[in-house]
Amino acid sequence: MTIDVEDSLDGLVDLLIKEVAAQGHGAWISKSGVRVFQIGDEMIFVPETPRDLPQWRRLLYQLIAAGLRWPPPRGE
C-alpha cells in the first residue's frame, strides 16, 4: 500500500479544521482556497497545504500557541 504524502497532509489540515471547529473556535476555507483558523483573537492563514511534516508541525504548534487543545480532548 502506498500513501500519497501530499493528500495525507491535506487530510491532516482538514482534520485540524474540524477539530478547531469542534473546540468552539472558527475554522473555514475561503473562496480562494485559503484555510483560515481563528482561535481567540489569533487568526492563522494557511494559503497552501504544508508540503512536509515539519511544515505541518509548525502549523500545529501555531494553533496550540493560539489556544488549541492538542491532542484533542476525549469524551467531552
Side-chain angles (χ1 to χ4, degrees):
M1 180 169 119
T2 60
I3 297 174
D4 184 336
V5 173
E6 187 171 319
D7 286 345
S8 297
L9 293 175
D10 193 48
L12 288 174
V13 175
D14 291 339
L15 172 70
L16 284 176
I17 289 174
K18 290 177 186 172
E19 185 56 39
V20 167
Q23 291 186 26
H25 305 291
W28 62 91
I29 301 174
S30 72
K31 289 180 183 177
S32 63
V34 174
R35 292 171 177 95
V36 182
F37 298 92
Q38 183 172 8
I39 300 176
D41 292 335
E42 296 283 327
M43 290 191 78
I44 299 166
F45 299 90
V46 183
E48 60 183 31
T49 300
R51 291 184 301 275
D52 55 28
L53 283 176
Q55 287 182 351
W56 189 85
R57 285 185 186 119
R58 278 193 294 278
L59 171 59
L60 180 59
Y61 296 152
Q62 284 181 297
L63 295 171
I64 291 169
L68 180 70
R69 293 178 291 164
W70 194 267
R74 300 273 184 216
E76 287 188 6

